[in-house]
Amino acid sequence: MSSIMQHENYYVMRNFKYQIIGGKIINMAPLASPNHGKISNRVNIVLSNYFDKIGEDYEVYHDNNYLRIDMIAKKNNIILPDECKNDKFRPDVMVIRDRSIDTVKGVIGAPVIVVEVLSKGTEDYDTQLKKQVYELIGVQEYWIVNPGLKSINIYVLKDGKYISYKTYCKYSESELEEIEDERQKTGKVFDEVILEFSPYSFPELKIKIDDIFKNLIKE
């Protein structure tokens, strides 16, 4: 038995929460900040409510299922970085439509959307290695949500490569007041004020940026 499998069995037997990223077991037991949980939960609620409302048979997982990178790569002959061949991720939120990839072992195909909320322990993975792997396996849309900056970076897959689609940020009250003062003084607004956005994959869904970042705890 390989070293990684031995370590994984240790976590499984104790019902610990973990991911395998870049061939390393990442213990998820130390809880991320409350803001991380608030944001990921709100994204989950917005997406789940939307699919329930329109009656589409999408499944939204909120940090409660594995994305089996190892099985996806093997099934589709995808060449991963060497250190990722045994990886299985646990995205903060993922949206799938193809029910054939939804199995008891985890999700074994590319989701439509994956959302990762940055935390100190996994930020480098989310912005670098995971982003590379999501691109390789064909995740159509990848969001990186930064609680500190209150920003959402959306990447979209085009011809097998991610392009930066849009970045959305929450305005502070003072920023909105400055923009309004400038408008009243000059009659012009030099910065476009964007208060809501739509996923690339679901342009009819309108999400208020404030709803994602409201009532965060000051850190």
Side-chain angles (χ1 to χ4, degrees):
M1 182 181 292
S2 68
S3 176
I4 188 70
M5 290 180 66
Q6 289 177 332
H7 282 89
E8 184 179 7
N9 285 340
Y10 174 87
Y11 279 76
V12 171
M13 290 174 65
R14 288 158 180 79
N15 201 28
F16 287 169
K17 201 172 176 182
Y18 69 97
Q19 304 183 72
I20 302 177
I21 309 174
K24 298 178 182 178
I25 294 183
I26 307 300
N27 184 10
M28 299 174 69
L31 293 176
S33 74
N35 288 338
H36 181 283
K38 286 185 176 186
I39 292 168
S40 65
N41 187 51
R42 285 168 187 152
V43 172
N44 168 58
I45 290 171
V46 166
L47 293 173
S48 297
N49 286 347
Y50 171 71
F51 295 126
D52 287 345
K53 181 178 179 180
I54 65 174
E56 292 285 349
D57 192 25
Y58 287 85
E59 186 70 47
V60 182
Y61 282 111
H62 177 215
D63 186 24
N64 61 343
N65 202 358
Y66 285 109
L67 181 57
R68 295 298 303 267
I69 306 301
D70 52 348
M71 297 178 70
I72 295 170
K74 185 175 181 181
K75 176 183 176 183
N76 297 284
N77 297 314
I78 297 169
I79 300 175
L80 297 172
D82 288 342
E83 67 271 24
C84 297
K85 63 182 181 180
N86 294 312
D87 282 8
K88 53 182 181 181
F89 299 167
R90 196 157 181 156
D92 290 315
V93 180
M94 60 177 162
V95 178
I96 66 169
R97 176 157 195 185
D98 182 359
R99 290 292 178 172
S100 71
I101 68 173
D102 195 9
T103 76
V104 294
K105 293 183 178 180
V107 174
I108 60 171
V112 179
I113 296 176
V114 166
V115 180
E116 296 285 10
V117 181
L118 299 184
S119 61
K120 291 180 180 179
T122 61
E123 180 172 348
D124 287 345
Y125 290 122
D126 291 338
T127 57
Q128 298 175 42
L129 187 59
K130 276 189 168 183
K131 180 170 173 278
Q132 178 187 3
V133 171
Y134 289 146
E135 179 183 84
L136 287 170
I137 68 169
V139 175
Q140 297 175 27
E141 184 171 343
Y142 179 40
W143 301 9
I144 297 178
V145 185
N146 189 317
L149 298 178
K150 298 183 177 65
S151 66
I152 303 166
N153 294 322
I154 297 180
Y155 296 89
V156 175
L157 200 64
K158 295 288 186 181
D159 298 321
K161 296 290 183 182
Y162 275 143
I163 62 167
S164 180
Y165 173 62
K166 293 282 181 66
T167 297
Y168 301 99
C169 297
K170 173 181 167 59
Y171 288 92
S172 67
E173 291 297 327
S174 61
E175 287 171 332
L176 290 173
E177 288 173 3
E178 288 177 8
I179 293 171
E180 178 59 21
D181 287 344
E182 187 68 22
R183 186 191 67 78
Q184 291 184 6
K185 290 176 183 176
T186 66
K188 298 179 181 179
V189 177
F190 298 100
D191 293 324
E192 182 183 4
V193 179
I194 299 175
L195 301 178
E196 64 180 21
F197 71 98
S198 298
Y200 176 84
S201 303
F202 305 100
E204 64 281 1
L205 169 58
K206 306 299 181 185
I207 303 173
K208 292 182 179 179
I209 298 171
D210 279 358
D211 286 348
I212 302 300
F213 296 108
K214 68 182 178 182
N215 298 328
L216 297 186
I217 298 169
K218 188 174 181 180
E219 297 185 16

